[in-house]
Coordinates of all heavy atoms in Angstrom, one line a residue:
P10 N -1.2 27.9 -5.1 CA -1.2 29.2 -4.5 C -2.1 29.3 -3.3 O -3.1 28.6 -3.2 CB -1.7 30.1 -5.7 CG -1.6 29.2 -6.9 CD -1.7 27.8 -6.4
S11 N -1.8 30.3 -2.5 CA -2.5 30.5 -1.2 C -3.8 31.3 -1.5 O -4.0 32.4 -1.0 CB -1.7 31.2 -0.2 OG -1.3 32.5 -0.7
L12 N -4.7 30.7 -2.3 CA -6.0 31.3 -2.6 C -7.0 30.5 -1.8 O -7.0 29.3 -1.8 CB -6.3 31.2 -4.1 CG -5.3 32.0 -5.0 CD1 -5.5 31.6 -6.4 CD2 -5.5 33.5 -4.8
G13 N -8.0 31.3 -1.3 CA -9.1 30.6 -0.5 C -9.8 29.5 -1.3 O -10.2 28.5 -0.8
R14 N -10.0 29.7 -2.6 CA -10.7 28.7 -3.4 C -9.9 27.4 -3.5 O -10.5 26.4 -3.9 CB -11.0 29.3 -4.8 CG -9.8 29.6 -5.6 CD -10.3 30.2 -7.0 NE -9.2 30.8 -7.7 CZ -8.9 32.1 -7.8 NH1 -9.7 32.9 -7.1 NH2 -7.9 32.5 -8.5
N15 N -8.6 27.4 -3.2 CA -7.8 26.2 -3.3 C -8.1 25.3 -2.1 O -7.6 24.1 -2.1 CB -6.4 26.5 -3.5 CG -6.1 26.8 -4.9 OD1 -6.9 26.5 -5.8 ND2 -5.0 27.6 -5.1
E16 N -8.8 25.8 -1.1 CA -9.1 24.9 0.1 C -10.0 23.8 -0.4 O -9.8 22.6 0.0 CB -9.8 25.8 1.2 CG -10.4 25.0 2.3 CD -11.8 24.5 2.1 OE1 -12.5 25.2 1.4 OE2 -12.1 23.4 2.6
A17 N -11.0 24.0 -1.2 CA -11.9 23.0 -1.7 C -11.1 22.0 -2.6 O -11.3 20.8 -2.6 CB -13.0 23.6 -2.5
F18 N -10.1 22.6 -3.4 CA -9.3 21.7 -4.2 C -8.5 20.7 -3.4 O -8.4 19.5 -3.7 CB -8.4 22.6 -5.0 CG -7.4 21.9 -5.9 CD1 -7.8 21.0 -6.9 CD2 -6.0 22.1 -5.7 CE1 -6.9 20.4 -7.7 CE2 -5.1 21.4 -6.5 CZ -5.5 20.6 -7.5
A19 N -7.9 21.2 -2.3 CA -7.1 20.4 -1.4 C -8.0 19.3 -0.8 O -7.5 18.1 -0.6 CB -6.4 21.2 -0.3
R20 N -9.2 19.6 -0.4 CA -10.1 18.6 0.2 C -10.4 17.5 -0.8 O -10.4 16.3 -0.5 CB -11.5 19.3 0.5 CG -11.5 20.1 1.7 CD -12.9 20.8 1.9 NE -13.9 19.9 2.1 CZ -14.4 19.4 3.3 NH1 -13.8 19.8 4.4 NH2 -15.4 18.6 3.3
M21 N -10.6 17.9 -2.1 CA -10.9 16.9 -3.1 C -9.7 16.0 -3.4 O -9.8 14.8 -3.5 CB -11.3 17.6 -4.4 CG -12.6 18.4 -4.3 SD -14.0 17.4 -3.7 CE -14.3 16.4 -5.1
V22 N -8.5 16.6 -3.4 CA -7.3 15.9 -3.7 C -7.0 14.8 -2.6 O -6.7 13.7 -2.9 CB -6.1 16.8 -3.9 CG1 -4.7 16.0 -3.8 CG2 -6.2 17.6 -5.2
I23 N -7.1 15.2 -1.3 CA -6.9 14.3 -0.2 C -7.9 13.2 -0.2 O -7.6 12.0 0.0 CB -6.7 15.0 1.1 CG1 -6.0 14.1 2.2 CG2 -8.1 15.4 1.7 CD1 -4.6 13.7 1.8
G24 N -9.1 13.5 -0.5 CA -10.2 12.5 -0.6 C -9.9 11.5 -1.7 O -10.0 10.3 -1.5
A25 N -9.5 12.0 -2.9 CA -9.1 11.1 -4.0 C -7.9 10.2 -3.7 O -7.9 9.0 -4.0 CB -8.9 11.9 -5.3
F26 N -7.0 10.8 -3.0 CA -5.8 10.0 -2.6 C -6.2 8.9 -1.6 O -5.7 7.8 -1.7 CB -4.7 10.9 -1.9 CG -3.5 10.2 -1.5 CD1 -2.6 9.8 -2.5 CD2 -3.2 10.0 -0.2 CE1 -1.4 9.2 -2.1 CE2 -2.0 9.3 0.2 CZ -1.1 8.9 -0.8
L27 N -7.1 9.2 -0.7 CA -7.5 8.2 0.3 C -8.3 7.0 -0.3 O -8.3 5.9 0.3 CB -8.4 8.8 1.4 CG -7.7 9.6 2.4 CD1 -8.7 10.4 3.3 CD2 -6.9 8.6 3.3
V28 N -9.0 7.2 -1.4 CA -9.8 6.2 -2.0 C -9.1 4.8 -2.2 O -9.7 3.8 -2.0 CB -10.4 6.7 -3.3 CG1 -11.1 5.5 -4.1 CG2 -11.5 7.8 -3.1
Q29 N -7.8 4.9 -2.5 CA -7.0 3.7 -2.7 C -7.0 2.8 -1.5 O -6.8 1.6 -1.6 CB -5.6 4.0 -3.1 CG -4.8 4.7 -2.0 CD -3.5 5.2 -2.4 OE1 -2.6 4.4 -2.6 NE2 -3.3 6.5 -2.4
A30 N -7.2 3.3 -0.3 CA -7.2 2.5 0.9 C -8.5 2.0 1.3 O -8.7 1.3 2.3 CB -6.6 3.4 2.0
D31 N -9.6 2.4 0.5 CA -10.9 1.9 0.8 C -11.4 2.2 2.2 O -12.0 1.3 2.8 CB -11.1 0.4 0.4 CG -12.5 0.0 0.3 OD1 -13.3 0.8 -0.1 OD2 -12.8 -1.2 0.6
P32 N -11.2 3.4 2.7 CA -11.7 3.8 4.0 C -13.2 4.1 4.0 O -13.8 4.2 2.9 CB -10.9 5.0 4.3 CG -10.7 5.7 3.0 CD -10.6 4.6 2.0
S33 N -13.8 4.2 5.1 CA -15.2 4.6 5.2 C -15.4 6.0 4.8 O -14.5 6.8 4.8 CB -15.7 4.4 6.6 OG -15.2 5.4 7.5
M34 N -16.6 6.4 4.4 CA -16.9 7.7 4.0 C -16.7 8.7 5.2 O -16.3 9.8 5.1 CB -18.4 7.9 3.5 CG -18.6 7.2 2.2 SD -17.4 7.8 0.9 CE -18.0 9.4 0.7
G35 N -17.0 8.2 6.4 CA -16.8 9.0 7.6 C -15.3 9.3 7.8 O -15.0 10.5 8.2
L36 N -14.5 8.4 7.6 CA -13.0 8.6 7.8 C -12.5 9.6 6.7 O -11.8 10.5 7.0 CB -12.3 7.3 7.7 CG -10.8 7.3 8.1 CD1 -10.5 6.1 8.9 CD2 -9.9 7.5 7.0
I37 N -13.0 9.4 5.5 CA -12.6 10.4 4.4 C -13.1 11.8 4.8 O -12.3 12.8 4.7 CB -13.2 10.0 3.1 CG1 -12.5 8.7 2.6 CG2 -13.1 11.1 2.1 CD1 -13.2 8.1 1.3
S38 N -14.3 11.9 5.3 CA -14.8 13.2 5.7 C -14.0 13.9 6.8 O -13.7 15.1 6.8 CB -16.2 13.1 6.2 OG -16.8 14.3 6.6
E39 N -13.5 13.1 7.8 CA -12.7 13.6 8.9 C -11.4 14.1 8.4 O -10.9 15.2 8.8 CB -12.5 12.5 9.9 CG -13.7 12.1 10.7 CD -13.5 11.0 11.7 OE1 -12.4 10.3 11.7 OE2 -14.4 10.7 12.4
V40 N -10.7 13.3 7.5 CA -9.4 13.8 7.0 C -9.6 15.0 6.1 O -8.8 15.9 6.2 CB -8.7 12.6 6.2 CG1 -7.5 13.1 5.5 CG2 -8.4 11.4 7.2
R41 N -10.6 15.0 5.3 CA -10.8 16.2 4.4 C -11.1 17.4 5.3 O -10.6 18.5 4.9 CB -12.1 15.9 3.5 CG -11.8 14.9 2.4 CD -13.0 14.7 1.6 NE -13.4 15.9 1.0 CZ -14.5 16.1 0.2 NH1 -15.2 15.0 -0.1 NH2 -14.8 17.2 -0.3
T42 N -11.8 17.3 6.4 CA -12.0 18.5 7.2 C -10.7 18.9 7.9 O -10.5 20.2 7.9 CB -13.1 18.1 8.3 OG1 -14.3 17.8 7.7 CG2 -13.3 19.3 9.3
A43 N -9.9 18.0 8.4 CA -8.6 18.4 9.0 C -7.7 19.1 8.0 O -7.1 20.1 8.3 CB -7.9 17.2 9.5
V44 N -7.7 18.6 6.7 CA -6.8 19.2 5.7 C -7.4 20.6 5.3 O -6.7 21.6 5.2 CB -6.7 18.3 4.4 CG1 -6.2 19.1 3.3 CG2 -5.9 17.1 4.8
S45 N -8.7 20.7 5.3 CA -9.4 22.0 5.0 C -9.0 23.0 6.0 O -8.7 24.2 5.7 CB -10.9 21.8 4.9 OG -11.5 23.0 4.8
E46 N -9.0 22.6 7.3 CA -8.7 23.6 8.4 C -7.2 24.0 8.2 O -6.9 25.2 8.4 CB -8.9 22.9 9.7 CG -10.4 22.7 10.0 CD -11.2 24.0 10.1 OE1 -10.6 25.1 10.5 OE2 -12.4 24.0 9.8
A47 N -6.3 23.1 7.9 CA -4.9 23.4 7.8 C -4.6 24.4 6.7 O -3.9 25.3 6.8 CB -4.1 22.2 7.7
V48 N -5.3 24.1 5.5 CA -5.1 24.9 4.4 C -5.7 26.3 4.6 O -5.1 27.4 4.3 CB -5.7 24.3 3.1 CG1 -5.8 25.3 1.9 CG2 -4.9 23.0 2.7
T49 N -6.9 26.3 5.2 CA -7.5 27.6 5.5 C -6.6 28.5 6.5 O -6.5 29.7 6.3 CB -8.9 27.4 6.2 OG1 -9.7 26.7 5.2 CG2 -9.6 28.7 6.6
N50 N -6.1 27.8 7.5 CA -5.1 28.6 8.4 C -4.0 29.2 7.6 O -3.6 30.3 7.8 CB -4.6 27.6 9.5 CG -5.6 27.5 10.6 OD1 -6.6 28.1 10.7 ND2 -5.2 26.6 11.5
A51 N -3.4 28.4 6.6 CA -2.3 28.9 5.9 C -2.7 30.1 5.0 O -2.0 31.1 5.0 CB -1.7 27.8 5.0
V52 N -3.9 30.0 4.4 CA -4.3 31.1 3.5 C -4.7 32.3 4.4 O -4.2 33.4 4.1 CB -5.6 30.7 2.7 CG1 -6.2 31.9 2.0 CG2 -5.2 29.6 1.7
V53 N -5.5 32.1 5.4 CA -6.0 33.3 6.2 C -4.9 33.9 7.1 O -4.8 35.1 7.2 CB -7.2 32.8 7.0 CG1 -7.6 33.9 8.0 CG2 -8.3 32.5 6.1
H54 N -4.1 33.1 7.8 CA -3.2 33.6 8.7 C -1.7 33.6 8.2 O -1.0 34.6 8.4 CB -3.2 32.7 10.0 CG -4.6 32.8 10.7 ND1 -5.1 33.9 11.2 CD2 -5.5 31.8 10.8 CE1 -6.3 33.6 11.7 NE2 -6.6 32.3 11.4
G55 N -1.3 32.5 7.6 CA 0.1 32.5 7.1 C 0.4 33.5 6.0 O 1.5 34.1 6.0
Y56 N -0.6 33.7 5.2 CA -0.4 34.6 4.0 C -1.4 35.8 4.1 O -1.9 36.2 3.0 CB -0.5 33.9 2.7 CG 0.6 32.9 2.5 CD1 0.3 31.5 2.4 CD2 1.9 33.4 2.3 CE1 1.4 30.6 2.2 CE2 2.9 32.5 2.1 CZ 2.7 31.1 2.0 OH 3.7 30.2 1.8
K57 N -1.7 36.3 5.3 CA -2.6 37.4 5.4 C -2.2 38.5 4.5 O -1.0 38.9 4.5 CB -2.7 37.8 6.9 CG -3.6 39.0 7.1 CD -3.5 39.4 8.6 CE -4.4 40.6 8.8 NZ -4.4 41.0 10.2
D58 N -3.1 39.0 3.7 CA -2.8 40.2 2.8 C -1.8 39.9 1.7 O -1.3 40.8 1.1 CB -2.4 41.4 3.6 CG -3.4 41.8 4.6 OD1 -4.6 41.7 4.4 OD2 -2.9 42.3 5.7

Side-chain angles (χ1 to χ4, degrees):
S11 62
L12 298 168
R14 63 181 170 259
N15 283 336
E16 173 272 330
F18 177 62
R20 285 176 62 90
M21 297 303 288
V22 167
I23 198 66
F26 182 74
L27 279 171
V28 167
Q29 66 187 292
D31 195 29
S33 70
M34 291 304 293
L36 193 140
I37 291 173
S38 180
E39 290 175 356
V40 172
R41 287 178 57 178
T42 299
V44 167
S45 174
E46 291 295 329
V48 170
T49 297
N50 278 354
V52 170
V53 171
H54 301 293
Y56 292 115
K57 181 180 178 182
D58 303 322

